Amino acid sequence: DLSAAIFVTGTQTSKVYKVEREGAESSLILKLLSEEGIRDEAPGAIALKTFGGSGAVELIESDQGAHLLEYADGRSLLDLVDGGDGGRALSIIIDTIEKLHGRRSDTNPGGLVSLERRFRALFKNDLPSEPLFEKARQIARNLLATQKNAIVLHGDIHHENIIESSERGWLAIDPKGIYGEHTYDYVNTLMNPVSRESLVQDKKRLFAQIDSMVERASLDRERLIPFLFCHSCLSAAWSIDAGESPDHALKIAVLVEPELKGL
């Protein structure tokens, strides 16, 4: 009973269409999954079910090959950043994460990506012999072994993954579906927007954002900064695997490294 499909975007994992549904007041999003997407997108559907529409788009229906989702029809937080309102964008990010985490389950629902699995690329033997990588491995081992407040995580919070809905405000899209320490969900946004590297690599701005997160979200700075350092190195490892430049991610790691007190 879906009709009027309009192609929106496509990736290796899915093709995305805006569709109409008989009886529905608003348009919906249909995500058709590739073979790779069937493997990679299933945890995201589990996360959306856990969030239940609180801070995220609703998962209307799903099966192995397709997800039918609420359509967020507005701008992304990148528009706020480009308009000089990065402070408001950060506030929305923090509010959104708190809504997602407010739908926490005290038990792992299963089918999600563990934080240990998420970090596998950092421990691959074929990474360059970069001292930052070895330091990140040591710190990551400790962080992963001492996780606190483990919950269902979005796993890919950034400015273009939070979209404004005319009906329900700002909503997260495209979760990875990870289970692990709540702190980890805050770090990816500190490396973004990746398309605005010079802005993101500004040290004063970076640490002002860290301070805001610590204060507004009651985070432990002594875990947030190490998680950011390790995630930056993990992101660099992903870039190397993909044949892309790791320079941006490594720049963030270099900026953060002096703050790794006693680690």
Side-chain angles (χ1 to χ4, degrees):
D1 57 350
L2 301 178
S3 62
I6 299 173
F7 180 74
V8 176
T9 188
T11 68
Q12 286 186 319
T13 59
S14 65
K15 291 183 178 179
V16 178
Y17 298 85
K18 178 184 172 185
V19 297
E20 306 298 326
R21 189 181 199 182
E22 186 177 351
E25 295 182 2
S26 304
S27 300
L28 300 172
I29 287 292
L30 177 65
K31 182 182 284 190
L32 299 178
L33 306 180
S34 66
E35 288 188 16
E36 183 178 343
I38 289 171
R39 295 190 301 271
D40 292 350
E41 299 275 355
I46 296 168
L48 286 176
K49 289 177 184 176
T50 300
F51 301 148
S54 178
V57 294
E58 287 192 70
L59 179 68
I60 310 299
E61 291 182 24
S62 66
D63 59 25
Q64 188 180 39
H67 299 164
L68 188 63
L69 303 153
E70 175 184 4
Y71 174 53
D73 55 352
R75 57 186 174 164
S76 78
L77 289 178
L78 182 61
D79 294 292
L80 292 189
V81 173
D82 286 346
D85 208 354
R88 183 175 171 227
L90 181 63
S91 294
I92 292 167
I93 287 168
I94 293 169
D95 289 345
T96 300
I97 294 175
E98 290 187 332
K99 287 177 184 176
L100 300 178
H101 290 186
R103 300 287 298 203
R104 64 168 295 151
S105 170
D106 289 328
T107 57
N108 187 337
L112 298 168
V113 176
S114 69
L115 211 50
E116 291 83 357
R117 180 179 166 195
R118 175 76 162 170
F119 272 85
R120 283 189 306 187
L122 184 61
F123 295 95
K124 290 178 67 173
N125 293 327
D126 57 355
L127 282 178
S129 56
E130 163 64 62
L132 283 174
F133 287 133
E134 185 51 44
K135 188 166 189 174
R137 291 186 189 107
Q138 293 172 4
I139 295 172
R141 289 188 187 100
N142 178 264
L143 290 172
L144 294 172
T146 59
Q147 291 185 63
K148 303 174 182 180
N149 193 19
I151 56 174
V152 178
L153 306 177
H154 181 285
D156 194 22
I157 293 288
H158 60 75
H159 298 75
E160 293 176 271
N161 265 354
I162 298 181
I163 308 293
E164 190 172 28
S165 162
S166 58
E167 295 183 357
R168 297 210 300 123
W170 295 95
L171 301 172
I173 63 171
D174 290 342
K176 293 296 184 184
I178 295 170
Y179 193 84
E181 180 169 337
H182 75 295
T183 312
Y184 181 71
D185 241 358
Y186 290 86
V187 299
N188 189 58
T189 189
L190 293 166
M191 297 180 58
N192 280 272
V194 292
S195 56
R196 308 292 184 267
E197 286 187 5
S198 60
L199 177 72
V200 178
Q201 292 173 10
D202 181 274
K203 185 176 182 179
K204 183 177 179 181
R205 176 186 178 275
L206 175 63
F207 282 96
Q209 292 209 321
I210 289 170
D211 291 342
S212 292
M213 280 187 173
V214 168
E215 180 180 353
R216 297 184 194 181
S218 299
L219 297 175
D220 182 350
R221 185 184 178 91
E222 302 309 314
R223 292 191 74 81
L224 179 64
I225 288 178
F227 262 119
L228 174 57
F229 174 74
C230 292
H231 179 72
S232 300
C233 292
L234 173 63
S235 182
W238 289 333
S239 294
I240 291 169
D241 276 350
E244 299 168 355
S245 171
D247 290 353
H248 173 63
L250 290 176
K251 174 66 174 179
I252 300 299
V254 167
L255 290 175
V256 170
E257 185 183 19
E259 298 295 315
L260 299 170
K261 299 172 182 176
L263 297 174

